Amino acid sequence: MKPIFDESDPVELRLCVNGAVRTLCVPPLRRLLDVLREDLRLTGTKEGCGEGECGACTVLIDGQAVLACLTAACSAEGSEVVTIEGPGFERARREFLEHGAAQCGICTPGMIVMTRAWAEACRRDGIEPTEDGARAALAGNLCRCTGYGAIVAAAVSTAREGFP
Amino acid sequence: MERYIGRDLARPDGPAKVEGRAVYVADLDVPGAWVGGVVRSTVARGLLLGLDFDPGFDWRTVAVATAADVPGENVVALIADDQPLLVAREIEHWGEPLALVAAPDELQLARALAAVRPRIEARAACFDLERSPRVFKSIRVAQGDAGAVFRDVPPGARVVEGTYRTDSQEQLYVETQGFVAFPPASDGSVTVRGSLQCPHYVQKALARALGIAPEEARVVQLATGGGFGGKEDYPSVLACHAALLARVARRPVRLILGRHEDLAVTPKRHPARVRVRAAFAADGTGLALEADVLFDGGAYTTLSPVVLSRGVLHASGPYRWPAAEIRGSVVATNHVPYGAFRGFGAPQTCLAIERLMDRAARELGIHPFELRLRNALRPGDTTVTGQRLEHSVGSLEVLEAIARRTGFDRHAWGAPHAESGPRRRGLGFSFFFHGAGFTGSGEELLRGRVSLALLPDGRVEVLAGSTEIGQGTQALFTAIAAEALGADAADVVLATPDTARVPDSGPTVASRTCMVVGGVLAAAAAELRQRVGDGAASWRERARAFLAGGGDGAVTRAYAPPPGARWDEHSYRGDAYPVYGWAADVAEVFVDEDTGEVDVARLWTAVDVGRALQPRLVTGQIEGGALQAVGWAHREVVSARDGRCEQDRLATCIVPTTLDAPRFDVTLVEVPYPGGPFGAKGVGELPMDGGAPAVLSAIEDATGIHPAQVPATPERILDLLVARAEEAHA
Ligand code: FES
Ligand code: FES
């Protein structure tokens, strides 16, 4: 059961998702998570709690990591939304596989999206990617399977690309 | 020369998971499906006098099911048939299902659920395991005459005792439980798809509840976002609810628990109270052990008798006791039923015996490492059930490995600290074992099966009921099959666990998938290889030639117990488990004496896995299990008030994050087990047993207090620190 219902009248919404412009007619406060998963059938973005506590629903809006379960779809209008299905995750995916960082996989899309946001922030701001940095960046993403060591190592390897 | 054993294979399930393509139950696109919900009891005990349906609501827009609509027996079939699918009259716990509703959408469902008004007469409930009026199961293990040793303590010997308590723990799989059920087909058969560990458990439960034959109930596993035992028994409840709704609504129904509901009503780890006392000779040699194990089972039997069994059988710790008496009971309360969680009763008793060993070390003036080493079971020794340990006894090897890695054997454990300021560092230790596979004759009775089918193109399909729940079943089975066939990994395909296609390999529990089912798979593959024959040509060429020549490419093998294994369920004597995994942990903690907060900085673990078939996977299992243990040790609080879970959301149900997790240092020790595939033995649960005692031992080293309850929360630590200060003052 979902926690939030928006019973107001649908409005037209134009979203740019993974590089494609999509026009939808949805209630303005419908969760971005539901728009992605149900209206656009992009089910790679997961729901672990629906209230901002697990990070499984992390997506990028204009390069920033946001929780799609706490984001109203209408607030993403005019922005670039990128989900795990989108381009640009190749390196992170490879590192996650090589480090054994995906076990049950339910936290994995959120982890990979957050890793990319952190890696890009490191590059942009010239911050050396470290294990402590990765742990701080991923602190909002829960994983119950791995103990985090493999995930943190995969995130650091991903972010080190382009660093000497 | 082995090609796949000991070398990491790419996970077959990996690419779909990192690309977001893996289909979990919430991702399944089912056109026309309605959504289901459950009307639940708001008291922990009472009588359901009736259900009132608000006349202002248009009930034609939804489908409703009550106990009267259950076509078969109104039971959740498991060990005892005491749990109803839907309450008919007696309510035994908070959140117990009273009625089911399905609606075209979430909004209508919410309205309908709110329009059902149960009439309930509340009754007095019991929440105290020490005052329970009813025992689900009692077990006694005895060897020698322990009573005589305690009555008449030998000169120079010393008796050490303690009472240890462990609270419940939430599995917290990140994917909540859920099923999609389809309405009965014209022949009466029913299909459900969902998130689960044990397809054949669900199948049996569906058959009983719907009054159909097991073959008429089809259960298909979807990608499953974690289980840890939490998806062992509860999926049977949920699948039956979903199937009942699909039957009444005559359309597919999606029943997926929200996080609040999942936390509030699904089974968690059994709370426990363990009293233990032991007699030691002056040199630290153990003479006798007595333990009294009490588990809170909650409102219904569920898996409690087997959880108790494992708890009792691990209460001795991995030590030699010439005399021992261990009594255990699991009792009924009006808590939400407790169930399976990694470790399955053993973490509770392991905590007690390991805390007692630390206390004994202190009282005897012997180093805690030395005390363990002196009493550790060795090859040729017998356990408290009279089991002679012959194969794969890596006890001394893991002790040696952990000492080498950490120097704990030279650490002045428990010595007064010179530090000033409130932050105290401590190192703690634990030594533990875990029986792999089912207890006693379990595997023999179950006779788990695996089939192989040669496909026309020469590839081999593995048909097994074992599920991939993150632990790596798919990679492991691919490696085992390819190695045993002498084929390429690409020649192996894995069937989806679907009861219409795969045989019953037994449940995916009890650290048995690799060792037991993997062993059956290796034997089946060896048989197929023998039929096809070796040669210079590739596997596929040889396999195609074999098929073209009329060869039979279908093989089914069942588990065969190791020769000579014996177990007596009545006396609890004999070979309690086929083999044991052995491990030792060292934890490093920092305790803030002003706040009682504990930071677990590092955790070293040395684990005898028999043989690491897939080193990366087994390391992942060990680190993941160890973090759950560390979380339980001091952070993960689960409590109930009037029978209602107080941590029913992730804001209050706390589990470790990247910032809380210690740095792990895993040493894999390999003492091969001849009864397992390529020497491997079970490891899934073992890492859950040792983390909590190691952390509590480290807190003791840091502060001098003796924490006796898990989780050792800041409040509990502060209480002990205050008591210590008052004692010093007095
Ligand atoms: S689903 Fe959004 S944070 Fe958990
Ligand atoms: S891999 Fe299962 S929750 Fe992270």
Side-chain angles (χ1 to χ4, degrees):
Chain A
M1 278 211 36
K2 287 208 205 69
I4 298 172
F5 305 107
D6 183 359
E7 297 174 53
S8 48
D9 290 336
V11 296
E12 197 179 282
L13 195 63
R14 281 162 59 84
L15 286 181
C16 176
V17 181
N18 299 334
V21 176
R22 317 286 294 256
T23 305
L24 300 143
C25 198
V26 296
L29 293 183
R30 187 162 166 81
R31 304 186 303 173
L32 178 60
L33 182 60
D34 299 328
V35 168
L36 294 171
R37 289 182 50 83
E38 289 169 20
D39 303 330
L40 301 177
R41 296 291 318 151
L42 292 168
T43 56
T45 305
K46 303 303 178 192
E47 174 165 6
C49 66
E51 49 195 17
E53 298 285 347
C54 74
C57 63
T58 308
V59 298
L60 299 177
I61 297 185
D62 295 333
Q64 297 288 323
V66 300
L67 298 173
C69 72
L70 295 186
T71 303
C74 63
S75 73
E77 176 136 48
S79 302
E80 298 267 344
V81 179
V82 178
T83 70
I84 186 67
E85 291 92 346
F89 293 107
E90 294 72 16
R91 167 86 185 220
R93 286 178 183 146
R94 207 165 53 238
E95 295 293 349
F96 268 65
L97 288 178
E98 272 167 22
H99 285 86
Q103 288 191 19
C104 81
I106 196 80
C107 72
T108 308
M111 287 285 184
I112 288 179
V113 171
M114 188 53 98
T115 292
R116 172 166 161 194
W118 174 64
E120 283 173 3
C122 287
R123 212 163 300 142
R124 191 182 57 231
D125 303 337
I127 299 168
E128 170 94 18
T130 60
E131 176 173 343
D132 284 342
R135 283 186 186 267
L138 296 172
N141 291 68
L142 290 184
C143 174
R144 192 59 158 166
C145 294
T146 61
Y148 297 113
I151 290 174
V152 170
V156 172
S157 296
T158 304
R160 288 215 61 87
E161 188 181 28
F163 279 87
Chain B
M1 172 67 192
E2 286 163 346
R3 283 177 70 199
Y4 295 107
I5 299 306
R7 293 161 198 236
D8 293 318
L9 192 69
R11 298 179 72 111
D13 52 326
K17 285 176 173 172
V18 299
E19 289 163 23
R21 287 187 288 107
V23 177
Y24 300 81
V25 63
D27 306 335
L28 202 63
D29 189 14
V30 187
W34 278 15
V35 284
V38 185
V39 179
R40 298 184 180 280
S41 125
T42 50
V43 302
R45 185 156 171 263
L47 290 182
L48 178 62
L49 304 177
L51 293 161
D52 292 339
F53 294 88
D54 184 342
F57 183 83
D58 185 356
W59 292 100
R60 288 166 308 179
T61 61
V62 298
V64 176
T66 67
D69 297 303
V70 179
E73 295 169 72
N74 185 13
V75 294
V76 182
L78 202 60
I79 291 177
D81 291 337
D82 59 346
Q83 182 177 15
L85 210 47
L86 290 167
V87 167
R89 188 157 168 85
E90 264 128 49
I91 294 168
E92 295 291 344
H93 66 85
W94 190 93
E96 192 163 8
L98 308 179
L100 306 170
V101 179
D105 59 51
E106 304 272 355
L107 190 53
Q108 190 67 353
L109 175 64
R111 288 186 179 128
L113 289 171
V116 184
R117 314 258 157 69
R119 262 181 294 122
I120 296 173
E121 188 180 298
R123 290 277 159 98
C126 169
F127 302 118
D128 182 352
L129 80 169
E130 290 174 279
R131 299 223 175 109
S132 164
R134 201 152 55 90
V135 175
F136 287 127
K137 169 108 179 163
S138 290
I139 293 171
R140 177 172 175 264
V141 170
Q143 155 156 294
D145 192 349
V149 178
F150 290 105
R151 266 193 311 276
D152 194 5
V153 180
R158 202 177 172 111
V159 174
V160 183
E161 58 192 310
T163 297
Y164 299 97
R165 288 168 203 278
T166 56
D167 291 351
S168 187
Q169 187 185 18
E170 162 60 38
Q171 295 88 352
L172 210 90
Y173 30 75
V174 175
E175 180 212 28
T176 60
Q177 306 223 20
F179 271 90
V180 174
F182 297 83
S186 50
D187 63 357
S189 66
V190 162
T191 299
V192 298
R193 295 172 185 267
S195 179
L196 58 100
Q197 290 179 223
C198 313
H200 292 85
Y201 278 6
V202 176
Q203 184 186 42
K204 279 180 203 123
L206 281 171
R208 289 281 298 281
L210 299 176
I212 57 180
E215 313 77 68
E216 294 172 314
R218 179 178 174 206
V219 181
V220 186
Q221 187 215 7
L222 294 162
T224 296
F228 319 115
K231 293 173 185 171
E232 175 171 351
D233 58 317
Y234 198 79
S236 296
V237 177
L238 210 54
C240 290
H241 284 168
L244 195 53
L245 277 175
R247 185 186 148 91
V248 175
R250 299 207 186 115
R251 63 186 81 233
V253 171
R254 179 193 293 282
L255 183 54
I256 299 174
L257 297 185
R259 181 60 69 184
H260 296 183
E261 196 173 11
D262 189 300
L263 289 172
V265 305
T266 63
K268 309 182 198 308
R269 189 182 302 289
H270 289 67
R273 188 221 62 201
V274 182
R275 284 203 198 105
V276 57
R277 65 172 172 163
F280 294 91
D283 69 352
T285 304
L287 302 174
L289 173 79
E290 258 184 16
D292 177 11
V293 178
L294 187 60
F295 283 1
D296 181 349
Y300 295 109
T301 308
T302 65
L303 294 159
S304 289
V306 252
V307 173
L308 175 71
S309 170
R310 195 171 275 272
V312 162
L313 289 167
H314 287 77
S316 65
Y319 305 114
R320 300 191 276 217
W321 300 107
E325 163 124 12
I326 302 164
R327 289 172 305 268
S329 292
V330 57
V331 298
T333 64
N334 295 104
H335 282 132
V336 174
Y338 295 101
F341 188 169
R342 193 179 213 161
F344 211 71
Q348 292 93 319
T349 53
C350 176
L351 187 275
I353 186 70
E354 284 305 282
R355 290 274 60 211
L356 188 85
M357 292 305 270
D358 275 351
R359 177 169 273 177
R362 200 186 265 282
E363 293 191 11
L364 292 160
I366 297 176
H367 193 282
F369 183 86
E370 175 60 30
L371 185 65
R372 265 80 165 205
L373 183 62
R374 187 159 305 174
N375 289 289
L377 286 162
R378 294 158 163 76
D381 282 345
T382 48
T383 67
V384 291
T385 63
Q387 175 171 9
R388 199 178 131 84
L389 298 173
E390 291 177 40
H391 300 298
S392 187
V393 185
S395 53
L396 300 184
E397 285 86 343
V398 300
L399 287 172
E400 192 193 315
I402 200 82
R404 208 179 328 112
R405 198 78 195 142
T406 65
F408 182 82
D409 51 330
R410 286 172 278 111
H411 171 70
W413 185 85
H417 284 247
E419 296 131 311
S420 57
R423 194 169 147 90
R424 300 295 161 94
R425 176 177 181 269
L427 289 185
F429 181 72
S430 66
F431 175 47
F432 48 106
F433 70 160
H434 196 96
F438 272 164
T439 303
S441 331
E443 296 294 349
E444 200 180 337
L445 295 172
L446 192 69
R447 295 183 70 74
R449 284 169 296 138
V450 174
S451 297
L452 296 177
L454 212 45
L455 303 178
D457 65 1
R459 289 183 305 161
V460 178
E461 185 175 34
V462 176
L463 298 121
S466 303
T467 50
E468 169 67 63
I469 53 173
Q471 80 285 46
T473 301
Q474 293 190 1
L476 207 48
F477 280 10
T478 303
I480 291 172
E483 192 71 54
L485 288 164
D488 291 341
D491 297 333
V492 176
V493 289
L494 303 166
T496 298
D498 170 349
T499 56
R501 293 207 62 222
V502 301
D504 187 355
S505 311
T508 300
V509 303
S511 313
R512 64 184 293 282
T513 297
C514 170
M515 181 180 93
V516 176
V517 187
V520 178
L521 168 60
E527 186 178 330
L528 185 59
R529 178 182 191 162
Q530 191 162 22
R531 284 194 206 168
V532 170
D534 284 345
S538 74
W539 167 266
R540 282 197 213 187
E541 284 167 329
R542 280 180 284 133
R544 281 198 298 262
F546 170 75
L547 286 175
D552 177 6
V555 177
T556 294
R557 290 288 288 250
Y559 176 78
R566 59 197 174 88
W567 173 251
D568 179 12
E569 184 71 29
H570 277 291
S571 62
Y572 257 66
R573 300 289 296 164
D575 298 335
Y577 296 96
V579 70
Y580 298 81
W582 306 81
D585 283 358
V586 168
E588 178 191 44
V589 305
F590 292 90
V591 183
D592 186 319
E593 292 206 340
D594 286 346
T595 63
E597 265 167 320
V598 174
D599 171 25
V600 183
R602 283 189 283 180
L603 190 100
W604 294 263
T605 183
V607 189
D608 168 23
V609 300
R611 179 90 190 274
L613 302 189
Q614 293 284 296
R616 196 171 56 203
L617 288 183
V618 80
T619 304
Q621 281 297 287
I622 292 168
E623 293 187 355
L627 183 57
Q628 293 176 344
V630 166
W632 188 48
H634 72 112
R635 194 181 290 280
E636 297 181 23
V637 175
V638 168
S639 58
R641 179 186 293 261
D642 297 330
R644 180 175 181 177
C645 174
E646 293 189 289
Q647 295 76 20
D648 67 350
R649 55 206 61 221
L650 290 191
T652 49
C653 185
I654 303 300
V655 295
T657 68
T658 47
L659 295 175
D660 308 318
R663 310 294 208 259
F664 293 103
D665 180 288
V666 177
T667 304
L668 297 178
V669 174
E670 298 184 304
V671 183
Y673 169 49
F678 306 99
K681 57 186 176 182
V683 71
E685 297 171 283
L686 178 62
M688 184 70 223
D689 295 347
V695 168
L696 268 58
S697 169
I699 295 171
E700 179 160 351
D701 182 41
T703 61
I705 60 173
H706 183 74
Q709 185 162 9
V710 160
T713 57
E715 294 82 353
R716 285 173 179 163
I717 287 174
L718 283 179
D719 282 348
L720 292 172
L721 287 169
V722 167
R724 183 194 65 178
E726 279 167 0
E727 225 168 81
H729 197 69

